[in-house]
Amino acid sequence: MSSQACVVDGESGQDSSNPVVIHIADLKKKYTTWSFRGRRVVEALRGATLQVRAGEVFGLLGPNGAGKTTLIKILLGVVRSSSGSASLFGSPAGSIAARMRVGYLPESLRVDRHHSARSALRYYARMSQMSGAEIERRSDELLELVGLRGRDRELVPQFSKGMYQRLGLAQALMHDPDLLVLDEPTDGLDPVGRNEVRKVIDRLRESGKTIFLNSHILQEVEQICSRVAIMSHGKIRVAGRIDELTQFDRCEEVAFEVVTHFAESSEHEATAELTQMFPAIKLAPENDYHRSKPNRVSESPLRFTLPLSSQAEVDQVVDRLRQQGVSIREITRKRESFEETFMREVSRSEEST
Ligand SMILES: Nc1ncnc2c1ncn2[C@@H]1O[C@H](COP(=O)(O)OP(=O)(O)OP(=O)(O)O)[C@@H](O)[C@H]1O
């Protein structure tokens, strides 16, 4: 099974019983810039398609210039698309109905130096026309949620980056949005700060919010997100759960550890026999007599890998080994790391553009 087959529509791995929150179809955006060299058109989005459902923590990943920020700006109604469609909760992205249900944490939130956490929240809340009593009640709730309750009167210049980011999360949540869009929420934080932000995101997920985040940090996304999309050159290349993307069932390489009982065979003979059975075999260096001296003791295991593309092929190999009286000690499917998946998809998209 190819990774493309399971994931390019951006709907794989979803719980389809949950309502669609973000719907993006064939979204395109061209920027036109002018310089002394004349007019230049940049295709930031070239037909991005994606769907995110309620309750997901969705991670958008991609190299610099992939189009992630443009996509987020279109979702927030800050930038207009050139063609295609983008909607939130069924309303066009940028409409008042859509905006009221979204909270946004920008990559570099700026809070004036004279603010404390509490006064900053009051300031942001006034923009959403909440009453004074409502603002105080909501501030208490959110300061508790983000772990700033006891430090709400300190001025923000005394805040660590992690505290600052948690204050940013609180301001994004002030009007109790159903969807939170977070731009690089843990960028520049130390491990403690990251962990604190991650905990808040976990609490938000548990409370049923949908979270859409954009990040460069693969490890972070792996830990936080229920689904991810890899974007490159203005398109969503793959989307799905990480275990789908890392091709668990594709079994590209399967490692075997076996003990052969070929009559009185030396290691040399045993490996020659296996090589004859499976010409594509890759012997472990310690068993490869071209590379190392044979050290066979009849019961010592031999290790090798085979390129196999389905469970049926694995089964066939097992059957053939068993027919030859080979005892199978261990079979391990090689699973791609998420980083390898990311690099593969990005380089594949580079080849095709
Ligand atoms: N306002 C703009 N005018 C012209 N070109 C733009 C504008 N904004 C973005 N671009 C170009 O569009 C492409 C996509 O940019 P975008 O910022 O959306 O990517 P990104 O994935 O967010 O990148 P990064 O991770 O570096 O922030 C890039 O080639 C960028 O130079």
Side-chain angles (χ1 to χ4, degrees):
M1 180 169 70
S2 89
S3 62
Q4 291 282 323
C6 69
V7 287
V8 277
D9 61 1
E11 292 179 36
S12 177
Q14 296 180 354
D15 179 351
S16 57
S17 59
N18 287 343
V20 173
V21 170
I22 300 177
H23 184 89
I24 294 168
D26 201 19
L27 198 64
K28 295 185 181 161
K29 173 67 189 174
K30 286 183 185 171
Y31 291 107
T32 306
T33 55
W34 295 90
S35 71
F36 64 93
R37 289 198 187 129
R39 184 170 174 269
R40 186 171 156 255
V41 176
V42 179
E43 282 187 272
L45 296 180
R46 301 164 188 240
T49 295
L50 189 65
Q51 200 163 278
V52 176
R53 288 184 185 263
E56 290 195 285
V57 179
F58 194 95
L60 181 65
L61 287 157
N64 291 338
K68 306 179 295 295
T69 307
T70 301
L71 192 145
I72 285 181
K73 282 182 178 170
I74 293 173
L75 289 180
L76 297 170
V78 180
V79 161
R80 286 171 74 96
S81 60
S82 308
S83 67
S85 70
S87 65
L88 302 180
F89 305 97
S91 303
S95 64
I96 291 176
R99 282 182 196 221
M100 282 174 58
R101 298 184 68 179
V102 187
Y104 175 53
L105 173 62
E107 187 178 355
S108 44
L109 176 75
R110 294 273 164 265
V111 180
D112 278 346
R113 296 174 62 81
H114 65 272
H115 276 304
S116 65
R118 188 169 284 275
S119 70
L121 289 185
R122 260 185 221 132
Y123 172 78
Y124 286 113
R126 276 192 212 112
M127 295 187 209
S128 52
Q129 297 170 338
M130 295 164 79
S131 72
E134 219 180 325
I135 292 174
E136 289 313 307
R137 186 193 54 77
R138 188 76 185 135
S139 299
D140 285 343
E141 247 175 54
L142 291 173
L143 289 165
E144 183 75 46
L145 176 86
V146 301
L148 290 175
R149 186 74 189 259
R151 307 190 64 174
D152 55 325
R153 311 260 169 207
E154 286 176 35
L155 294 180
V156 291
Q158 290 160 26
F159 278 18
S160 67
K161 256 201 116 180
M163 288 168 71
Y164 205 88
Q165 217 42 0
R166 284 183 282 140
L167 171 60
L169 281 168
Q171 71 73 29
L173 287 161
M174 204 64 192
H175 60 298
D176 200 13
D178 298 304
L179 169 66
L180 259 187
V181 177
L182 312 176
D183 198 355
E184 300 283 357
T186 58
D187 198 31
L189 301 188
D190 63 18
V192 176
R194 278 187 198 169
N195 191 36
E196 287 164 351
V197 168
R198 214 182 295 136
K199 278 189 197 154
V200 177
I201 293 177
D202 274 345
R203 272 177 232 143
L204 292 172
R205 181 178 43 78
E206 281 160 17
S207 73
K209 304 276 182 210
T210 306
I211 297 167
F212 185 86
L213 62 91
N214 161 14
S215 177
H216 280 104
I217 310 170
L218 300 192
Q219 198 193 6
E220 197 67 19
V221 167
E222 231 175 328
Q223 283 181 15
I224 304 178
C225 298
S226 48
R227 284 203 313 133
V228 300
I230 298 176
M231 186 171 200
S232 169
H233 294 285
K235 280 189 178 176
I236 302 295
R237 302 294 164 172
V238 288
R241 291 193 322 263
I242 288 177
D243 61 345
E244 288 176 316
L245 303 190
T246 50
Q247 305 181 316
F248 182 66
D249 53 358
R250 197 172 146 192
C251 7
E252 274 210 312
E253 273 214 330
V254 181
F256 291 84
E257 183 177 309
V258 302
V259 174
T260 62
H261 302 286
F262 304 134
E264 296 298 312
S265 61
S266 66
E267 175 170 334
H268 185 141
E269 286 158 347
T271 53
E273 192 94 16
L274 286 170
T275 309
Q276 207 179 2
M277 284 168 75
F278 309 111
I281 199 166
K282 246 196 267 165
L283 292 159
E286 71 272 16
N287 297 133
D288 189 345
Y289 57 84
H290 291 299
R291 298 206 227 166
S292 66
K293 282 200 180 134
N295 59 349
R296 176 143 174 96
V297 185
S298 65
E299 288 299 310
S300 65
L302 291 171
R303 292 184 191 85
F304 59 88
T305 57
L306 284 170
L308 302 172
S309 57
S310 67
Q311 183 59 45
E313 287 186 22
V314 177
D315 292 344
Q316 275 171 19
V317 171
V318 170
D319 288 348
R320 289 187 64 193
L321 288 169
R322 293 299 300 133
Q323 277 162 16
Q324 297 299 318
V326 176
S327 167
I328 302 167
R329 297 284 169 90
E330 200 172 311
I331 300 180
T332 323
R333 292 172 166 191
K334 182 180 178 290
R335 192 171 180 161
E336 230 180 25
S337 71
F338 186 43
E339 191 174 349
E340 285 168 335
T341 306
F342 179 81
M343 296 310 294
R344 175 171 48 80
E345 290 304 333
V346 170
S347 56
R348 185 186 284 175
S349 74
E350 263 151 26
E351 281 160 22
S352 67
T353 42

